Amino acid sequence: MKSRSTAVVSVVLAVLGGAACGSSYTPSAAARHAFVEARATALCKVKTQSFSDEHALEVAYTSSQHANISDRDTRALKKKLEKDQALREEISTRVTTLCA
Amino acid sequence: MRSTSSVSRRFTTAAALSAIVAASSVVIAAPVSAVNPNQDITSLTTTLPAMHPGQTAWVSTLWRGASKDADSFRMTATSSGASISYPTNTASYSSLWGSSTLSASATDFAALKVTVNDSVTQAITITLTVNYDLHQNNGNSNTTPKTQTLQVSLPVTVVSGPAITALTTTLGPVANGTTTWQQFSVRGEKPGVTSLTAQVSAPAGITIAYPAGKTDTSPSQLSTLNVGTTDYFAFQVTVGPNVAAGSYNLTVTMTYGSSQTQTAVVPLSVT
């Protein structure tokens, strides 16, 4: 009985913990738009410019990827990129519009 | 009346069904149109950024993912008008920025280090060969490596001005009666700026000395000033105690290659 209660409590804590960590958090449409725009802009930057060394290329790309959104939104959207094909497609479509 | 009512009902029913079908189409169609229908990865690059003869630079090619992940992406390049090298961590090929996988519908880039040959005066062609694996079903569960070969253009613009651009426009300020080290920065614009040295001449009362007691000064990094790179000359300036405050022109004479020279005049501020 005790172990059953412990299991139930563990499940509840795990669910609450997941919620607290923002696993179900969905960024706003505005944040998503800014994220897509920044990613596409960064890709276009490295496509259209040449760089004197690898470091300069890296700095230009990573700095251009920065969107003016909260850290929470950034983390959530970066995580979504791994599984969300539609989000990746949005970025690719924006790249096509911007510079392809 | 009954007939009218029946027609009306049928119309209403048909309209409702049409609306449901239309709504269903939208719901079903949305995910299909939201993903990339391409069966293969595609290059988004046809032309690379322009470079100068002799210039070395990193350029990038953009790649758009297929409808499924492409693993083990590797790109190599060749050109008769340039030499190509790859990022340090891969050495013999370029991978993508994010990883060696181009995820479905994603866009990523692969970079190349390109050195345009000195003698090139017009656009060059770079041939790219990419290898990757889309894990297509070939009936025996094995992977199915794929290869694409394509050509991209790299515009080359010939510099019509001097071989060296002076980046330093003023020197000092230096108080009279003191000695200071000065730096004169330059950028290479044309190939062939090898064995580069500089000598500086100054008006009376101002004396120039060079590092290690030499009779001239060399660039701080390399004796060759490559196209698009910057470097500087260091030299010591001693302003006599009787030199009045003001601006004095120093003449920097740079010698390179087979005794070619180029001069630059730069004002020194004396306080």
Side-chain angles (χ1 to χ4, degrees):
Chain A
M1 186 66 182
K2 185 180 177 184
S3 63
R4 192 174 174 186
S5 301
T6 305
V8 170
V9 168
S10 298
V11 168
V12 169
L13 285 176
V15 169
L16 290 175
C21 288
S23 59
S24 60
Y25 175 68
T26 302
S28 67
R32 184 180 174 112
H33 174 78
F35 182 81
V36 168
E37 194 68 19
R39 291 272 161 162
T41 301
L43 285 163
C44 286
K45 187 164 197 168
V46 298
K47 179 179 186 287
T48 55
Q49 294 182 16
S50 61
F51 301 89
S52 57
D53 54 51
E54 280 182 274
H55 181 64
L57 169 63
E58 180 180 350
V59 168
Y61 182 62
T62 52
S63 62
S64 298
Q65 278 188 323
H66 179 73
N68 191 22
I69 57 178
S70 71
D71 289 346
R72 187 184 190 196
D73 284 334
T74 301
R75 280 195 303 273
L77 287 160
K78 278 184 178 176
K79 193 170 178 63
K80 276 179 82 70
L81 267 184
E82 298 168 12
K83 299 272 177 70
D84 189 340
Q85 189 175 346
L87 178 58
R88 297 196 296 263
E89 180 69 22
E90 275 182 57
I91 295 168
S92 293
T93 301
R94 186 63 183 134
V95 168
T96 305
T97 308
L98 273 179
C99 66
Chain B
M1 185 70 181
R2 182 182 172 190
S3 156
T4 305
S5 174
S6 175
V7 168
S8 175
R9 254 200 318 272
R10 276 202 297 273
F11 178 78
T12 306
T13 305
L17 281 172
S18 298
I20 290 167
V21 168
S24 302
S25 300
V26 169
V27 170
I28 292 166
V32 174
S33 62
V35 297
N36 179 7
N38 289 343
Q39 296 303 303
D40 205 347
I41 67 170
T42 52
S43 168
L44 298 180
T45 301
T46 53
T47 305
L48 294 166
M51 292 175 61
H52 301 306
Q55 184 181 2
T56 297
W58 285 86
V59 295
S60 303
T61 58
L62 257 57
W63 292 88
R64 183 166 181 166
S67 54
K68 57 172 68 174
D69 291 355
D71 294 329
S72 307
F73 180 100
R74 289 185 173 203
M75 181 177 78
T76 55
T78 57
S79 176
S80 59
S83 57
I84 312 282
S85 53
Y86 306 99
T88 313
N89 61 335
T90 52
S92 60
Y93 64 91
S94 291
S95 187
L96 294 162
W97 172 264
S99 70
S100 61
T101 295
L102 183 57
S103 299
S105 299
T107 297
D108 203 346
F109 69 91
L112 296 168
K113 184 181 182 184
V114 177
T115 300
V116 178
N117 294 349
D118 291 354
S119 58
V120 169
T121 56
Q122 58 187 7
I124 59 174
T125 299
I126 294 179
T127 302
L128 305 175
T129 302
V130 290
N131 296 289
Y132 51 96
D133 195 335
L134 282 171
H135 298 287
Q136 290 174 326
N137 182 6
N138 58 13
N140 58 8
S141 301
N142 290 335
T143 59
T144 309
K146 296 196 71 172
T147 299
Q148 278 190 43
T149 300
L150 65 152
Q151 295 184 324
V152 294
S153 175
L154 190 151
V156 176
T157 54
V158 178
V159 177
S160 58
I164 302 167
T165 294
L167 300 176
T168 301
T169 53
T170 59
L171 293 170
V174 182
N176 56 17
T178 65
T179 297
T180 60
W181 283 96
Q182 301 291 322
Q183 292 182 358
F184 181 75
S185 296
V186 290
R187 182 180 62 228
E189 306 292 354
K190 289 181 177 177
V193 183
T194 58
S195 306
L196 179 61
T197 59
Q199 289 182 311
V200 183
S201 59
I206 300 173
T207 56
I208 305 296
Y210 303 104
K214 293 183 178 176
T215 56
D216 56 24
T217 176
S218 299
S220 69
Q221 297 173 54
L222 295 170
S223 62
T224 295
L225 187 65
N226 290 313
V227 175
T229 62
T230 60
D231 206 338
Y232 68 87
F233 298 102
F235 54 91
Q236 201 175 45
V237 176
T238 300
V239 178
N242 298 323
V243 175
S247 181
Y248 297 85
N249 282 340
L250 305 187
T251 301
V252 180
T253 302
M254 294 169 281
T255 304
Y256 61 91
S258 51
S259 300
Q260 292 133 292
T261 61
Q262 185 177 322
T263 60
V265 175
V266 58
L268 170 73
S269 173
V270 174
T271 58

